[in-house]
């Protein structure tokens, strides 16, 4: 588990977890993305709108040399990708090029990299909006005939509306989930492969299949370089993999693998598409194919598909619309997050770094980015928009490549789990090639270069007149926070995942009691569920909300002289994060709090508790507090005295008695009453069996108990009635029935709902082998937090009162 621990250092005022005199607060991030997930993120970002929009335009500049342009771009992307892989392994936290350039070059270049990245993503978004508008306008023309409005005007208008729509969607916090993203990417790849298949069939059905590829470089090498610069945006996307480092499982291996796999997949498909487009199209008489494709512009691929693929034009147009929509949504997200990060760091006005209290999205950053996107879409033609984005990305990649060189010298201490091969020659080659490609784009669009230089100039003015001063003011507000780290190592550990102050108060007291009896420690965990609209790293803005909660645990534990360790984890899935923490910390007992209600279907105690309880990695107790925890005088044990869960309930009752019977803790002697409910269906001999088993277990555990019976229609009625004379009821979980998702069985659930007394439900850890068998043969409970099911369903997961994102998520 990668973690970021607060240490004795300067920290922003009010942002640190605990001031002097407090124990260590560990901040950790949950990792959810495997190799396939993160590879599909890169492939989806690369095989996006660029290939649909720019293929025809680039073919008009390079001719068959477009194939060579795509191949060389793939080589350059692989070299730069290795730089991103190295830096991503050194700095797995979110930030990407903005962070690396600031570390490797200087503050001013770090600012410029973020400033240029914001502009590049915004301009790329304008390109996708214009592409979507053009494809949609063509579909409308095919369906309804000539439009009363000029086609170009209609395309721009549709693009502006799309940009507005997705700006609002991003503000509301809606985003494409991982599963949906993988499906969209798979559909795009499938359509392009089908397109290539029909094209190859036509090419090799001709008498001379290679006739259309001569001359290979009709516009010379300059045409190839222009096409390379123009289409390099189609290879932009692999850097997102490195920026996702905080969320990737085994990032040392998976990030480099995913980068190179995604580039290889994209290059293969691009080469196929270029080969087919330039060899399977029938141009008008006397006009070369590449010139014909150039005149078609962004509709080049769709028109080509219409010639050799059934319903090809419509299919490609619809695929292009879906691709540009997906890219539009993702790029508005990434554009606004860059400006959000800069505002949060003090490089832009603080308004950029503000989070909306309801949607938990950086609303000002989103709307300002949306305005920039719309402005570029309205003011510039599509070629100039593409060239502007390419220039900015190429210059940004150049700075990242140079940062690899400087960081090798400045920071030899960094752990480089992946190293750029053929260093430093490969890094210098990347610098030269990206600079050369960006310069060749002046031949295509001088306006794009003028705009890029103007944007850089404005950024430098902002930096020296505003950012430097604001960053100095932020540094002056920082104050040192001395952290006291508990060095005591205990063999027994009780973990209490806490959601709010009220829950922390009860669970910390009970947890401290149970830890003290075993001379153990208390581990307080607060999980902050980060919305999909924010990256895991950006979720740090919610860390402050966990401070008061954890301080409550610390204060209560100190009353019992129990060592306490506090931890904050950021993650998408609360239950998985709790389980991961318990496993990696070798927890002996976990206490979960249940508020007493759930709105989720098919679950007993709420999505989080049910998921944690399915295969707990330690002993588990679920508590419903009916009143604040205090020394109990009367403990009720409804039990037959058999089974591991019943034994755990007996042991917990014994531990509570031992603690409170000590003079320093009150010196009282709580009475334990073991209850047997006699129902009309029971046999007379059941009572004798009950007495024998309970007596044997009590003797084994060296406990003093009183046996009691009660007559009732059902066990639930009897337990609820008897609980009225008790301060706490401790029950063992019912045996799980086949295909039963209600993990504790119906009796404990109903008792917890109906009884007015505090209830503790115990479930003994069964061991890894037995848990594995259960997972293999029995179905898992439904994970309503899973984004593939549309996100969290459980209303028990309440947001904290201070407007945060809700922590702990128990219930």
């Amino acid at each position: 588990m990668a973690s970021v621990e607060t240490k004795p250092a300067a920290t922003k005022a009010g942002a640190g977890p605990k001031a002097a005199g407090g124990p260590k607060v560990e901040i950790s991030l949950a990792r959810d993305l495997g190799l396939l997930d993160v590879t599909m993120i890169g492939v989806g970002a690369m095989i996006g709108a660029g290939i649909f929009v720019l293929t025809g335009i680039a073919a008009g500049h390079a001719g068959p040399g477009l194939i060579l342009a795509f191949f060389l771009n793939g080589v350059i992307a692989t070299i730069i990708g290795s730089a991103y892989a190295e830096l991503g392994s050194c700095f797995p936290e979110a930030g990407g090029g903005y962070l690396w350039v600031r570390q490797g070059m200087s503050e001013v270049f770090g600012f410029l990299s973020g400033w240029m990245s914001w502009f590049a993503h915004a301009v790329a978004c304008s390109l996708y909006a214009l592409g979507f508008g053009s494809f949609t306008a063509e579909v409308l023309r095919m369906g309804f005939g000539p439009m009363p409005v000029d086609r170009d005007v209609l395309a721009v208008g549709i693009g502006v509306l799309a940009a507005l729509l997705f700006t609002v969607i991003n503000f509301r916090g809606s985003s494409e989930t991982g599963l949906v993203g993988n499906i969209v990417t798979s559909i795009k790849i499938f359509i392009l492969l089908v397109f290539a298949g029909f094209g190859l069939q036509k090419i090799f059905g001709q008498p001379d299949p290679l006739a259309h590829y001569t001359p290979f470089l009709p516009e010379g090498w300059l045409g190839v370089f222009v096409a390379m610069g123009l289409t390099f945006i189609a290879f932009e996307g692999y850097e997102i993999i490195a920026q996702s480092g905080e969320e990737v499982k085994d990032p040392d291996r998976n990030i480099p693998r995913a980068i190179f796999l995604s580039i290889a997949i994209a290059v293969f498909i691009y080469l196929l598409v270029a080969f087919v487009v330039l060899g399977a199209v029938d141009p008008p008489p006397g006009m070369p194919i590449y010139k014909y494709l150039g005149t078609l512009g962004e509709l080049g691929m769709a028109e080509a598909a219409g010639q050799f693929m059934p319903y090809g034009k419509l299919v490609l147009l619809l695929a292009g619309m879906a691709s540009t929509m997906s890219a539009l949504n993702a790029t508005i997200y990434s554009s606004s997050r860059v400006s959000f990060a800069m505002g949060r760091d003090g490089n832009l006005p603080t308004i950029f770094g503000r989070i909306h209290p309801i949607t938990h999205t950086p609303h000002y950053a989103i709307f300002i980015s949306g305005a920039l996107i719309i402005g570029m879409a309205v003011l510039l033609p599509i070629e100039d928009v593409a060239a502007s984005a390419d220039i900015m990305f190429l210059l940004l990649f150049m700075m990242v490549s140079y940062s690899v060189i400087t960081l090798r010298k400045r920071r030899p201490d960094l752990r480089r789990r992946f190293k750029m091969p053929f260093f430093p020659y490969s890094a210098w080659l990347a610098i030269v090639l990206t600079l050369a490609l960006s310069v060749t784009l002046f031949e295509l669009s001088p306006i794009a270069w003028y705009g890029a230089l103007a944007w850089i100039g404005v950024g430098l003015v902002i930096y020296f007149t505003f950012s430097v001063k604001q960053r100095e003011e932020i540094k002056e507000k920082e104050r040192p926070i001395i952290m006291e780290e508990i060095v005591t190592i205990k063999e027994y550990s009780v973990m209490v995942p806490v959601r709010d102050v009220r829950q922390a108060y009860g669970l910390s007291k009970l947890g401290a009691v149970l830890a003290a009896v075993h001379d153990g420690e208390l581990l307080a965990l607060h999980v902050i569920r980060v919305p999909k609209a924010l990256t895991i790293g950006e979720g740090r803005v919610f860390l402050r909300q966990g401070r008061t909660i954890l301080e409550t645990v610390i204060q209560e534990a100190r009353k019992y002289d129990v060592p306490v360790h506090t931890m904050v984890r950021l993650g998408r899935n609360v239950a998985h994060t709790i389980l991961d923490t318990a496993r990696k910390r070798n927890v002996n007992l976990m206490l979960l709090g249940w508020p007493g209600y759930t709105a989720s279907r098919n679950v007993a105690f709420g999505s989080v508790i049910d998921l944690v309880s399915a295969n707990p990695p330690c002993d588990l107790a679920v508590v419903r507090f009916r009143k604040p925890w205090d020394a109990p005088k009367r403990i009720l044990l409804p039990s037959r005295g058999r089974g591991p869960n019943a034994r755990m309930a007996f042991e917990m009752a014994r531990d509570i008695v031992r603690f409170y019977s000590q003079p320093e803790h009150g010196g009282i002697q709580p009475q334990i009453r073991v209850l047997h409910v006699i129902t009309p269906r029971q046999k007379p001999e059941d009572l004798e069996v009950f007495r024998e088993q309970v007596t044997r277990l009590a003797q084994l555990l060296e406990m003093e108990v009183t046996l009691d019976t009660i007559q009732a229609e059902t066990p639930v009625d009897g337990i609820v009635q008897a609980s009225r004379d008790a301060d706490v009821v401790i029950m063992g979980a019912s045996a799980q029935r086949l295909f039963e998702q209600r993990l504790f069985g119906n009796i404990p659930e109903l008792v917890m709902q109906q009884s007015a007394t505090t209830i503790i439900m115990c479930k003994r850890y069964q061991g890894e082998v037995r848990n594995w068998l259960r997972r293999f043969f029995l179905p898992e409970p439904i994970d309503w937090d899973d984004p593939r099911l549309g996100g969290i369903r459980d209303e028990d997961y309440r947001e904290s009162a201070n407007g945060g994102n809700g922590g702990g998520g128990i219930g």
Side-chain angles (χ1 to χ4, degrees):
M1 173 185 67
S3 64
V4 182
E5 298 190 8
T6 55
K7 297 181 179 179
T11 310
K12 290 184 181 179
K18 181 69 181 168
K24 177 175 67 174
V25 176
E26 181 177 333
I27 300 170
S28 177
L29 309 175
R31 299 183 180 273
D32 301 316
L33 300 177
L35 177 61
L36 175 62
D37 297 314
V38 74
T39 300
M40 292 299 281
I41 288 174
V43 173
M46 281 189 283
I47 304 179
I51 187 66
F52 290 96
V53 176
L54 298 175
T55 299
I57 300 173
H61 289 282
L66 177 62
I67 300 172
L68 181 61
F70 277 149
F71 176 76
L72 294 177
N73 271 348
V75 173
I76 297 172
T78 302
I79 298 172
I80 300 173
S82 65
Y84 271 84
E86 175 172 328
L87 294 177
S89 71
C90 296
F91 304 98
E93 61 267 24
Y98 171 51
L99 169 67
W100 304 335
V101 174
R102 191 172 64 183
Q103 292 277 337
M105 297 178 70
S106 66
E107 288 288 343
V108 62
F109 281 103
F111 170 84
L112 281 179
S113 67
W115 181 251
M116 292 163 62
S117 178
W118 179 31
F119 183 77
H121 283 92
V123 176
C125 217
S126 301
L127 172 66
Y128 304 146
L130 290 173
F132 176 78
S134 182
F135 296 149
T136 306
E138 186 64 17
V139 170
L140 292 175
R141 188 196 64 79
M142 291 173 61
F144 301 101
M147 296 285 110
V149 184
D150 180 74
R151 183 191 170 281
D152 292 338
V153 174
L154 179 62
V156 172
I158 294 173
V160 169
L161 290 176
L164 277 172
L165 173 64
F166 283 103
T167 298
V168 174
I169 288 174
N170 272 263
F171 161 69
R172 292 178 61 85
S174 303
S175 64
E176 188 179 85
T177 65
L179 179 62
V180 174
N182 289 350
I183 292 174
V184 171
T185 299
S186 301
I187 291 173
K188 287 188 290 188
I189 293 174
F190 175 75
I191 291 174
L192 290 174
L193 290 176
V194 171
F195 168 82
F198 279 103
L200 290 173
Q201 183 181 26
K202 180 176 180 181
I203 290 171
F204 290 101
Q206 297 172 349
D208 186 1
L210 304 180
H212 292 304
Y213 302 100
T214 54
F216 190 69
L217 301 177
E219 302 296 327
W221 280 99
L222 180 61
V224 173
F225 289 141
V226 170
M228 288 174 65
L230 180 65
T231 60
F232 200 80
I233 192 174
F235 293 83
E236 180 268 329
Y238 54 84
E239 74 277 7
I240 298 175
I241 296 173
Q243 294 170 10
S244 303
E246 289 179 307
E247 300 183 63
V248 178
K249 299 175 183 176
D250 193 9
D252 298 2
R253 299 179 59 194
N254 286 338
I255 288 180
R257 283 180 173 183
I259 288 175
F260 298 127
L261 276 173
S262 60
I263 292 174
I265 293 170
V267 170
F268 173 74
I269 291 177
Y270 289 173
L271 292 176
L272 268 180
V273 168
F275 184 81
V276 166
V277 166
L278 290 159
V281 176
D282 296 322
M287 179 182 287
I289 287 181
Y290 77 94
K291 288 289 186 183
Y292 175 58
L293 292 172
T295 60
L296 295 174
E298 65 272 16
L299 298 177
M301 277 190 65
E303 293 290 350
Q307 292 192 14
F308 55 78
M309 180 177 169
Y311 304 101
K313 183 176 181 179
L314 179 61
V315 170
L316 263 291
L317 285 173
L318 294 176
M321 289 172 61
S323 183
T324 48
M325 277 197 301
S326 176
L328 190 59
N329 185 30
T331 314
I332 288 178
Y333 172 91
S334 57
S335 173
S336 61
R337 275 14 177 224
V338 173
S339 57
F340 163 71
M342 295 182 72
R344 185 185 56 191
D345 294 343
N347 282 316
L348 287 178
T350 55
I351 192 174
F352 283 89
R354 294 180 185 173
I355 297 290
H356 195 274
I358 297 176
T359 63
H360 294 154
T361 55
H363 49 304
Y364 287 111
I366 290 172
F367 286 124
I368 295 172
S369 298
L372 179 61
I373 291 163
I374 292 170
M376 294 292 292
V378 172
L379 295 176
L380 293 179
I382 194 167
E383 282 194 20
D384 297 321
V385 171
S388 299
D390 280 311
I391 290 169
M392 287 298 185
F393 279 122
L394 287 166
L395 294 178
L396 179 62
F397 293 153
M398 181 183 70
M399 288 193 287
V400 170
S401 299
Y402 185 71
S403 296
V404 177
I405 299 173
T406 58
L407 284 171
R408 285 280 186 104
K409 296 178 181 179
R410 295 181 183 180
R411 298 293 306 277
D413 58 303
L414 289 173
R415 182 189 173 197
R416 292 171 170 83
R417 291 155 290 218
F418 176 87
K419 288 190 175 181
M420 195 175 184
F422 308 110
F423 181 86
Y425 308 107
S426 55
W428 283 111
L429 180 61
I431 293 169
V432 171
L433 290 175
T434 50
L435 181 61
L437 285 181
S438 62
V439 170
T440 58
L441 285 172
F442 187 83
E443 177 74 18
L444 173 68
S445 175
I447 294 177
W449 255 107
Y450 298 147
L453 292 175
W455 184 261
I456 293 172
V458 171
L460 289 173
V461 171
I462 292 175
Y463 178 78
F464 287 109
T465 60
F466 173 81
S467 301
V468 173
K469 181 180 178 181
Q470 178 161 286
R471 287 177 63 84
E472 288 298 323
E473 291 176 354
I474 291 175
K475 289 180 181 178
E476 290 178 3
K477 294 179 182 178
E478 293 179 345
R479 61 182 176 86
I481 296 180
I482 308 297
M483 303 301 297
E484 175 188 349
E485 180 173 346
I486 294 177
V487 296
T488 306
I489 299 176
K490 299 291 186 178
E491 293 185 359
Y492 191 86
S493 177
V494 178
M495 187 174 86
V496 287
V498 290
R499 179 186 60 200
D500 51 38
V501 172
R502 181 179 179 182
Q503 190 181 73
Y505 181 77
L507 288 178
S508 59
K509 293 182 76 171
L510 177 58
V513 167
L514 298 173
V517 172
H518 293 274
D519 190 26
E521 69 168 2
L522 189 65
L523 170 60
L525 171 67
H526 179 67
V527 181
I528 298 176
R529 184 177 181 271
V530 181
K532 295 189 290 295
L534 297 180
T535 67
I536 291 293
E538 290 167 356
R540 294 175 186 272
V541 298
F542 300 120
L543 288 176
R544 183 176 298 181
Q545 73 181 50
R547 185 177 182 183
T548 304
I549 300 171
L550 295 178
E551 285 180 348
T552 302
V553 179
I554 293 170
Q555 292 170 4
E556 292 301 320
R558 281 177 174 167
K559 297 177 183 178
Y560 299 92
D561 196 25
V562 172
V564 61
H565 182 87
T566 55
M567 178 188 298
V568 177
R569 292 201 68 181
L570 307 175
R572 305 288 188 202
N573 187 291
V574 175
H576 294 170
T577 304
I578 293 173
L579 288 170
D580 182 66
T581 305
R583 290 190 183 99
K584 293 181 178 179
R585 295 288 174 176
N586 295 319
V587 170
N588 300 93
L589 171 65
M590 185 193 310
L591 297 180
L592 298 178
W594 184 52
Y597 49 82
T598 178
S600 297
R601 296 177 303 169
N602 301 321
V603 292
F605 296 100
S607 58
V608 174
I609 290 183
D610 277 34
L611 282 165
V612 171
S613 305
N615 300 295
C618 59
D619 288 346
L620 175 69
V622 177
V623 187
R624 184 184 186 187
F625 291 103
R626 287 295 194 171
K627 60 181 180 179
W629 177 263
D630 199 1
K633 297 179 180 179
R634 298 161 299 177
I635 299 175
L636 181 66
L637 276 176
S639 174
R640 294 184 180 180
R642 63 185 182 189
N645 297 335
R647 174 161 180 159
M648 179 183 167
F650 271 69
E651 291 173 353
M652 183 172 291
R654 177 200 62 189
D655 292 342
I656 293 173
V657 170
R658 287 180 177 177
F659 179 85
Y660 287 109
S661 61
Q662 298 174 13
E664 60 268 28
H665 299 302
I668 65 173
Q669 186 70 31
Q671 301 298 315
I672 301 176
R673 184 161 57 105
V674 182
L675 178 70
H676 176 68
V677 181
I678 301 175
T679 63
R681 295 183 179 181
Q682 287 190 354
K683 300 177 182 178
E685 57 267 24
D686 289 346
L687 180 58
E688 203 57 42
V689 173
F690 158 73
R691 288 173 176 166
E692 292 178 3
Q693 291 176 339
V694 169
T695 302
R696 187 184 308 116
L697 182 57
Q699 291 175 349
L700 180 65
L701 299 178
E702 299 179 353
M703 298 171 56
E704 292 185 7
V705 300
T706 301
L707 305 184
D708 195 5
T709 61
I710 188 171
Q711 293 186 349
E713 287 296 320
T714 66
V716 174
D717 293 338
I719 297 172
V720 171
Q721 182 179 344
S723 68
R724 296 168 186 164
D725 297 325
D727 299 308
V728 61
V729 178
I730 305 177
M731 301 177 63
S734 299
Q736 186 178 25
R737 294 175 292 179
L738 189 63
F739 304 117
E740 179 63 59
Q741 288 187 8
R742 295 177 177 262
L743 298 169
F744 288 127
N746 289 326
I747 293 177
E749 175 191 350
L750 293 173
V751 170
M752 294 186 83
Q753 289 176 346
Q754 298 178 21
S755 175
T757 305
T758 295
I759 308 290
I760 302 177
M761 198 70 52
C762 299
K763 183 173 181 131
R764 175 71 82 188
Y765 174 53
Q766 300 294 317
E768 288 300 327
V769 174
R770 186 155 178 185
N771 276 344
W772 179 86
L773 291 172
R774 288 176 57 197
R775 287 196 296 268
F776 187 83
F777 290 108
L778 297 180
E780 292 283 358
I782 298 175
D783 182 0
W784 295 113
D785 284 338
D786 195 323
R788 291 172 293 183
L789 297 179
I792 193 162
R793 290 282 304 277
D794 192 1
E795 293 182 5
D796 297 343
Y797 187 99
R798 304 288 184 181
E799 294 183 355
S800 58
N802 62 0
N805 189 47
I810 307 305

